[in-house]
Amino acid sequence: MGTAAGIGVGRGRGQALGLTQTLGLYGASDPDEVMAAWYRAEAAPWVRPITQRMPAAPAPELPGPLEVWETGDDLADLDWSATLQAGATVLPGLTTRRRSYLPDEPTPREASIMLDVFIDSSGSMPHPGRASSAVLAGMIVALSVLRGGGRVRVTSFSGPGQVAGSEDFQRTVGAVVRDLACYFGGGTTFPLDLLERRYAGLRPPSSDERRHLLVLSDDGLVSMFGDGNEPYAGVAARVRPLLTTATLLLSAVSDRVDAQAAAAGYDVLHVRTMDEAPAACARLAEVLHG
């Protein structure tokens, strides 16, 4: 999503080092661990717990004061205990009582969400070792979902057969960071066969389920809609009804991708550099939050 060599330098962070300088400074350490720590530190100021708004649960009735039960009222409303306390002789309309109930506000509910991230690691995308806006944007959203109690699955993809990541949704930050930072540097072919297999047999999400798909890429994403991948041309459109939201976060404006995404029911957010990642992630958080 554009070059981001300046990230970590300035912008209110004092003498914070860029990724290249950090890797050099900790040259004796595991570079993957150093890189993961750097991205987590860069994402930290922008991470906000993301949960999913759910329809409010009906409020339980609150017991109110006793009222006189009149002849003609529903017999089920008669409170016999209160009636007998009012007098030994039951006199309808005089000693008969019923319990009134007070209205209360519906109980708000929130549920954690499931975020399925596909990150483009082709040669047209910046290398994670040189400060990648795609990795940072994915880190911000993924950590926000994890912080809100949700689960995240990350898949890195490039050319045919170049796919890596976790098969299952994760709750651990380490696995998510590792998968986001995976890099191939080849061509760009979206793994539609994998997408089809993972969502095959699923029903559309129920009112208590929230499935969100996020794809981080550039204008090479035409392959997601079948260009050069014709046997799977309809997969993205068929999977869309099985998702609550589906968003493409792209580093380049492409009328071709935008048109194909809109036709298949996918939302598109555009960024040019990592400087725009916080605003884009904030907009995405609003979408995920409902």
Side-chain angles (χ1 to χ4, degrees):
M1 296 184 190
T3 181
I7 282 297
V9 180
R11 288 209 302 277
R13 298 201 53 196
Q15 299 299 315
L17 296 176
L19 180 52
T20 302
Q21 295 94 328
T22 303
L23 287 169
L25 181 63
Y26 295 95
S29 303
D30 183 341
D32 290 338
E33 294 293 332
V34 174
M35 189 162 57
W38 185 87
Y39 276 110
R40 289 180 66 177
E42 288 294 317
W46 301 335
V47 171
R48 299 293 183 272
I50 296 177
T51 54
Q52 181 69 57
R53 288 194 185 119
M54 302 285 287
E61 291 184 318
L62 297 178
L66 290 171
E67 297 175 345
V68 175
W69 183 92
E70 303 281 357
T71 303
D73 289 346
D74 192 335
L75 187 61
D77 293 338
L78 184 61
D79 188 325
W80 283 105
S81 176
T83 296
L84 294 176
Q85 289 179 10
T89 304
V90 177
L91 300 174
L94 294 176
T95 63
T96 48
R97 300 289 184 266
R98 68 176 182 179
R99 176 71 64 181
S100 65
Y101 291 92
L102 303 176
D104 194 14
E105 293 294 327
T107 304
R109 295 190 301 155
E110 292 201 347
S112 60
I113 65 180
M114 298 175 67
L115 176 67
D116 205 356
V117 180
F118 283 78
I119 182 169
D120 183 349
S121 62
S122 64
S124 62
M125 299 290 286
H127 192 286
R130 294 191 292 273
S132 165
S133 57
V135 173
L136 180 65
M139 193 80 72
I140 293 170
V141 179
L143 293 182
S144 295
V145 168
L146 291 175
R147 187 79 64 81
R151 293 183 291 164
V152 179
R153 176 172 62 192
V154 177
T155 303
S156 175
F157 68 93
S158 184
Q162 294 179 317
V163 181
S166 301
E167 186 65 26
D168 299 321
F169 287 89
Q170 305 290 322
R171 294 186 184 275
T172 59
V173 174
V176 170
V177 173
R178 178 199 65 216
D179 294 341
L180 281 170
C182 177
Y183 189 79
F184 289 107
T188 306
T189 301
F190 189 88
L192 288 172
D193 55 339
L194 177 64
L195 183 70
E196 181 177 49
R197 176 176 62 79
R198 284 180 172 173
Y199 287 89
L202 291 181
R203 295 182 177 182
S206 67
S207 59
D208 293 330
E209 293 178 293
R210 293 297 184 267
R211 304 178 195 143
H212 303 284
L213 180 71
L214 171 63
V215 181
L216 303 160
S217 184
D218 56 14
D219 61 357
L221 201 60
V222 289
S223 61
M224 183 175 179
F225 303 101
D227 286 26
N229 210 359
E230 283 74 15
Y232 299 94
V235 169
R238 290 197 297 271
V239 167
R240 179 61 188 90
L242 306 177
L243 303 165
T244 306
T245 67
T247 306
L248 313 182
L249 187 55
L250 307 178
S251 64
V253 176
S254 170
D255 293 338
R256 191 177 178 191
V257 174
D258 287 8
Q260 290 176 314
Y266 289 71
D267 299 318
V268 180
L269 296 176
H270 291 287
V271 296
R272 292 171 296 177
T273 68
M274 195 183 314
D275 290 339
E276 298 179 1
C281 291
R283 293 196 301 274
L284 182 57
E286 292 176 358
V287 172
L288 298 185
H289 202 61

